[in-house]
Amino acid sequence: PLTLEEVRMLVELFYLPYQHGALAQQLLEHFRWLRANSLSVGVPATAPDACGGTRWRGRARSFQRLCARTCRLHSRLVSTAGRALLYDLHPYLWDIRNLLLAASAFVLWLGCQSISAPMLLGRDAEPWARRGGLFGELQALLPVGSSCDLFYHPPPLFPSSQLYLLRPLLPLDKLGNEEEGCSEVSYGLQAHLSHAPPLPGRLLGSFLSLSPEYTFVLEDEDGPCGYAAGALHAEGFLQQRDSSWLAAIRHKYPPDLGTGGAALGQDALEEAVLFFHAEPPAVPQPVLRRFPSLVQLGTAPRVLDVGASRSLALCLLSALRANGSRGVFCQVSDSDRQQLSFYSKLG
């Protein structure tokens, strides 16, 4: 059964409509402070005010621990609570879990970046557009907090106790061939998200090579199970992808690589190679002007909880918005039913 400490956490997260318990208050105070002082993270260690960066990282670790405790509480509630209590409380705790997954990864991302200007936030939403309580206050602190349609989604009919970790791409993930975007994460996601052989870079290669600072990884207990990747300035990214990165990949993987035998997976290999040699569709200038950033998201079939997918989207969009993006677009083939279904479920 739930422990006394876990019950206390539940009470503190949902204390009174206009008064927070200790845990909720800590979460808000840490997040407000980390967002307001994010410029101190990039201060060199030799600078006179370098202690600001050390203090920021210490509070970031405390915030991460609080988020992880709340995510574990959600998992424990699903596993142990009686059905009546679970179905009464689950929608609220599921909402908080999803928002904290995104907020935790966003704070980790802030710690990896050097944002040289005050964070650009969205315009204030009308008061009626946000919920009350901890959820509404956390929403307001994310750079995309005014995009209210991103935050509302019915909870799953069958709650899952699966624990997720959402984080930005880390330096160790990028070990490998930078030209191809070949890395452990690239291979892992390729194997988990598609049936084609793990040919380096098919899914994420251009993002890992040209825009790794806007790449996020979703993990469950079995390893990588989702990703969100973006490019802040899509026009320059697409030009660089087509002129240099794609040219190098085509040279390494010639069109005839997938032919010459009926080996296991040969058809899939041929399809993967032809993918690189197909001419990418041009993006119309009006689209680039109105939506200057490019995004791409995906999860493995085993990720049935749409809340985790929405957390991926929230985190990526918050990172892009924090650096000034006014809008995003994604490229999807009209024959890719899996991706079309994925984006449709996101809303």
Side-chain angles (χ1 to χ4, degrees):
L2 292 173
T3 65
L4 182 61
E5 177 62 24
E6 288 167 335
V7 174
R8 183 180 290 115
M9 287 175 64
L10 267 175
V11 173
E12 290 180 356
L13 286 169
F14 309 103
Y15 194 64
L16 289 171
Y18 301 102
Q19 184 179 347
H20 299 304
L23 176 61
Q25 196 60 46
Q26 276 185 294
L27 282 164
L28 285 170
E29 286 174 1
H30 281 317
F31 198 13
R32 286 194 190 105
W33 188 91
L34 290 165
R35 200 194 69 172
N37 294 276
S38 60
L39 291 179
S40 66
V41 188
V43 174
T46 54
D49 54 347
C51 60
T54 305
R55 186 182 175 202
W56 192 96
R57 290 183 179 88
R59 289 197 69 160
R61 284 192 291 272
S62 297
F63 181 70
Q64 304 291 330
R65 285 193 291 268
L66 290 176
C67 292
R69 283 178 63 197
T70 308
C71 291
R72 283 196 297 272
L73 175 62
H74 169 266
S75 180
R76 287 273 295 141
L77 183 79
V78 174
S79 301
T80 63
R83 297 296 96 180
L85 180 66
L86 172 62
Y87 281 95
D88 274 346
L89 297 182
H90 179 258
Y92 303 100
L93 195 55
W94 181 77
D95 271 340
I96 294 294
R97 192 264 332 234
N98 296 337
L99 202 51
L100 288 180
L101 274 176
S104 176
F106 179 66
V107 165
L108 272 174
W109 175 83
L110 282 177
C112 300
Q113 305 305 313
S114 296
I115 296 181
S116 56
M119 193 181 304
L120 180 62
L121 298 176
R123 65 188 183 280
D124 288 337
E126 295 293 334
W128 50 263
R130 290 201 188 107
R131 297 183 211 175
L134 178 62
F135 184 93
E137 293 202 43
L138 285 169
Q139 174 190 339
L141 291 172
L142 283 172
V144 289
S146 59
S147 303
C148 300
D149 54 327
L150 291 171
F151 295 87
Y152 296 98
H153 202 80
L157 290 175
F158 303 101
S160 166
S161 62
Q162 179 66 267
L163 278 169
Y164 292 101
L165 170 68
L166 176 55
R167 60 174 179 80
L169 194 74
L170 301 174
L172 286 175
D173 295 324
K174 292 186 283 183
L175 291 175
N177 188 333
E178 281 293 320
E179 180 187 78
E180 299 179 16
C182 167
S183 70
E184 182 182 350
V185 165
S186 183
Y187 273 116
L189 288 172
Q190 179 72 49
H192 282 80
L193 303 181
S194 79
H195 301 294
L199 191 62
R202 184 182 179 190
L203 281 175
L204 284 173
S206 56
F207 290 99
L208 289 173
S209 295
L210 306 176
S211 186
E213 65 274 20
Y214 293 103
T215 304
F216 295 87
V217 179
L218 181 71
E219 294 180 335
D220 62 12
E221 293 160 1
D222 295 323
C225 61
Y227 72 95
L232 182 63
H233 303 292
E235 188 169 13
F237 171 85
L238 293 172
Q239 288 173 355
Q240 197 174 357
R241 181 198 69 181
D242 297 346
S243 63
S244 57
W245 181 83
L246 201 52
I249 291 293
R250 286 171 173 171
H251 177 73
K252 183 149 191 175
Y253 300 99
D256 57 354
L257 181 66
T259 61
L264 184 64
Q266 195 68 29
D267 290 342
L269 176 60
E270 186 175 353
E271 179 192 346
V273 171
L274 291 177
F275 171 84
F276 288 123
H277 288 270
E279 202 58 39
V283 180
Q285 278 299 319
V287 172
L288 290 170
R289 282 196 295 269
R290 186 174 176 187
F291 308 101
S293 303
L294 171 67
V295 298
Q296 181 177 305
L297 299 94
T299 57
R302 69 176 186 270
V303 180
L304 302 177
D305 188 342
V306 74
S309 305
R310 292 178 78 82
S311 297
L312 267 173
L314 276 176
C315 190
L316 174 59
L317 295 175
S318 292
L320 291 167
R321 177 64 182 157
N323 271 339
S325 177
R326 302 187 310 276
V328 303
F329 70 96
C330 59
Q331 292 179 295
V332 190
S333 166
D334 55 6
S335 62
D336 191 338
R337 295 182 181 275
Q338 185 177 346
Q339 278 289 86
L340 289 170
S341 172
F342 173 79
Y343 287 119
S344 298
K345 287 175 184 174
L346 282 183

